[in-house]
Amino acid sequence: MEQLVKTEKVVTNFYTYEGVVKALNGVSVEVRKGETYGLVGESGCGKSVTVRSIMRIVQSPGRIEDGKILLFFSDTDRNQAVDILKRSEAFMQTIRGNEISMIFQEASTSLNPVLSIEYQIGESFRLHRMPEILRETIDELQANLDKKKIPFVSGWKKFQISLFNRQKETLENYERLIDSIEFQLAELEDDGTSKNRRLKDELNRKRDMLRKDDRLVMFFRRFPFLRRYYRRINPVIHRKVVNLLKELGVPNPENIARSYPHELSGGMQQRIVIAIALACHPRILIADEPTSNLDVTIQAQILDMIRVLKETTISSVLFITHDLGVVAEICDRVTVMYAGDTCETAEVKELFQKPLHPYTKALLRSVPKVRQEEALATIPGVVPNLVNPPTGCRFHPRCESAMDICKREKPPLFTYAPGHTVSCHLYTSKEAKS
Amino acid sequence: MISIEKTIDADVSINIFLKTEKNHVNLLNYIIRRLLLMILVLFGVSLIVFSIMMIIPPGQRVAIYVKSEKVTPAQMEALIEKYGMNDPAPIQYARWIGNIFQGDFGYSETAKGPVIEGFKQYFPITLELVLLSTPLIILVGVWLGTLGAVHKDKPVDHFTRVFAVIGYSLPTFWLGLMLLMLFYGLLGIFPPGQISNVGKDVISSPEWNRVTGLICLDGIINGRWDIVWDGFYHLILPAFNLVILSCALILRLMRSSMLESLGQDYIRTALAKGADRGTINRIHARRNALIPVITISGLMFAGLMAGMVITETIFNRKGIGLWMARAALQLDVPAIMFNVLFLGTIFAVVNLIVDILYAYVDPRIRLT
Amino acid sequence: MSTELKQKTTKKEGFLSHPAVKEFTFSAKRFLKNPLSIIGLTIILIFALIAIFAPVLAPPEDPYDPFKIPHDGWKTAPSPPSPEHPLGTMEQQYDILYGIIWGTRSAFKIGFFIVMANLFIGIILGSLAGYFGGWFDEIIMRITDMFYALPFLVMAMALVVAIGRGLQSIIIVMIILGWPTYTRMIRGEIMALRDKDFILAAKAGGAKSLRIIIQHILPNSIYSVLIVASMNIGTTVLTAAALSFLGLGSESGYADWGQMVSMCRDWIVGPPDNRLAYWYVVFTPGFVIAMFVLGWNLLGDAARDVFDPKMRRK
């Protein structure tokens, strides 16, 4: 299968007052087209930081230090990769919410309490579908204008159309120019001569100079009363929002759109969060424990919804959870993480039947089964403090089959079978084999 | 095309209907209830003020009715008897309240006339200063606070923090005196008072059409732009003094609440949506950050009143503040009582407006 | 012997590794790393030293009335700094330096006394109102509402005049008018804690009300209250100085900063040939007040940033 998103040895640190938290210790994951990919681990193992690194929304004091995050989004060339760590923030803004979307753990805090649902969903459209919205607004205005002609009002309407047109053109121009500059920058990346650097600086400056908005339009939008003309786009956005909610099977979409987050139930809030993420039909949806704080019944509904959506709208889902039951239910492939390291990656069935890494084994043992006779197994010890992580393999202090080498060296990635990789000294070092 | 119906959140629709149907009725009810409560609070305030005033011996209180220099103790006694100042406190209180309801607030020695006349004369001078400085305080405070939070730990942030802590620590009277010393004393500009002597002649002449009492506004109405400038010229230093001292409070609060707001989960959602920094700060963070600022602005108003007393004293502007200061110093009881009640009313009204504004900005708050 | 020693050391380590102690040392370290808090601390320490060593720095003429500023003749106009009067003299030749040194004692006295008294009243009324709620709470809160609606400065002025001018009266009046703020604050803190799980747990464990307040609620809410109180020492001194400035303080010549500023009001503008001739009378006392207040504010600010867990991790 084709790859869609791939990270290579990503290192992310948090610079806190207690010290540097080494949250990601060279994480490599790969999401392929058309699959649901799971990321499993205890809380604090770096799952969320991994996906936030992929979105490049690691918030201060965190920083992505090293590695590559590659996106394979080109429709023509399957192997053409874009390393987003080398791209500008402006480029990332065109990707986020558009090509990659994300839903979060706590829907209630993820929604802005003072903005209406309609605004919050509509913002996705405003950010990524503005030319389309403007075109529709212009069409509507034009139709309105053609229907009946009143001398003075028609002139004002014509002026509005010209304003919207200006805005649309500037925006399209902006997007085109950003694209071309980004492309040139990407071309320049390879050799580090001083001439190249100068060119790069110039391009960067040029990009920063680009304006998203026309000056005249800005004036009209800033000026009280005059800016009322801009409300013309609201019905268009409203229509889009209601359509989206209908598509997602939300009952009573008109009312929901008009309400505020606190008026909705937890399940409905999570659906709104999903709606925000899906507004622009992303290629990949990242779900960061979307069901953790929900009732079991609602949880099932949300999982159902994601599964159906995956079949119809989005091609891939990156699903984060600490719940192995959910993994078994929804994922195709899964990676187990521990303390900022990836332990093991495999197809779900394979992982459950033939776990290789001691941590995976322990994790599976600690899941209660229906016909359980003996006491539930636990993993001794606690998740290490990542300011001073254990040397070598980070799991070794809690590992039942730890060896001397585990304290010294970080285990390399070992391909046990096609599609099943593990990083553990048990399978690579001489010590274990002897 | 996708069908995930199943649960219909029944509570959702009910909530929405409640909200849309009853909003107007609620608001009106709420305002009426608050106004009734306000009367209760004012009643309490009047009691407190009155009991404080009862500490003063009757001889001192009656002094404001004494017209001539030579008064024998016997005459004094007669006066005290005449105005009933030896009566039991409840009776005196009832008499005072009764007079208020008849529109008689008494005679003010410091205003050299009935309290109401003094109020009409002094209030516009203060109002002018309030109208100029309050918007500035709020705008500057919110703007600098946002700036500091957005550029946390950058030079801008350090600058605004230092500005805030200095503004918070400077004594109002000292800053006023220093401003006066530098600008008026050294440079000879921005004199104290409310208007120049030439202007005073103009506005006290019979042709002058005194509509509002606000010098600048009346100047516009009378078409005398020199008077408008004259009034404004005298407003600059006092307004500057008030702004420096009062906007520090808003700045600090705005900065910390903006920082808190910027750390919330919904900011992350907006980031993941692809919103740029400007949009996030302007729309997602600032509206939330304004909520605590709005709640504190009622308190700021109380601080502004204290600042007004001192500022008007220093800059010798004959407004409510100066009047109150003089009334308190000379124990002009009717003037003190009236002004305290008046400010209490204003304070309650400001708080009512603040609460309504609060509910407007924060949809989670329902006025009940 | 050796085992005893060992036990002792482990005990000590145990004490140091107690979460609360660790938390405190961690906070204190951060507090000392912050340049602003260092500045604040230095300012306050300097003022404290001045207050303590006032008799050494400026020996009083009359040991029984040290707050009386000595004056050098009766000339009205202030005289500029000279070797005899390093900071110059005010009108009637009161020595500014002496006034500032002994005024430091007045300032600490005013600040501590008022804030302590208010805190005392506030803790008692606030914790009772917050913990028990009901009609007691209702009454206390309505009274504070009324006090909030009073214009503080005007009321304070009238009250001081009514009971007789002077620094003593200012202190008394500021206690009478100041307690509602603290009561409200403490009540709010306690209300927030009252329904927390650990309080419910203590209740379920059968603890008595008073015991819950003293042992569980107050220690948890006192931190933030103390920080606000420390910041208020500055503002309290400021307000008291404002009252003195308005002419309500002690008789002229008393070592009190506000009083000194009020004495300078006639000397803002110098003679025509030198408009700034008397700058030192206006500038010096006010500047000292500003520094004193600044010190407390910086200290309180930094303490809040460091000790308030909500502010810290940002």
Side-chain angles (χ1 to χ4, degrees), chain A residues 264-276:
Chain A
L264 307 178
S265 63
M268 189 55 78
Q269 284 173 346
Q270 190 55 276
R271 273 174 231 191
I272 300 302
V273 172
I274 294 177
I276 291 173

Side-chain angles (χ1 to χ4, degrees), chain C residues 78-134:
Chain C
S79 29
S82 63
E84 247 172 277
H85 304 290
L87 293 178
T89 61
M90 296 182 281
E91 62 179 37
Q92 296 178 349
Q93 307 308 310
Y94 287 113
D95 185 40
I96 294 180
L97 182 66
Y98 186 93
I100 281 171
I101 289 171
W102 284 88
T104 314
R105 277 199 172 184
S106 305
F108 273 110
K109 212 165 67 184
I110 295 168
F112 277 124
F113 202 76
I114 296 175
V115 171
M116 291 289 179
N118 278 335
L119 213 54
F120 182 71
I121 301 173
I123 285 179
I124 290 179
L125 288 181
S127 46
L128 290 179
Y131 188 77
F132 293 112

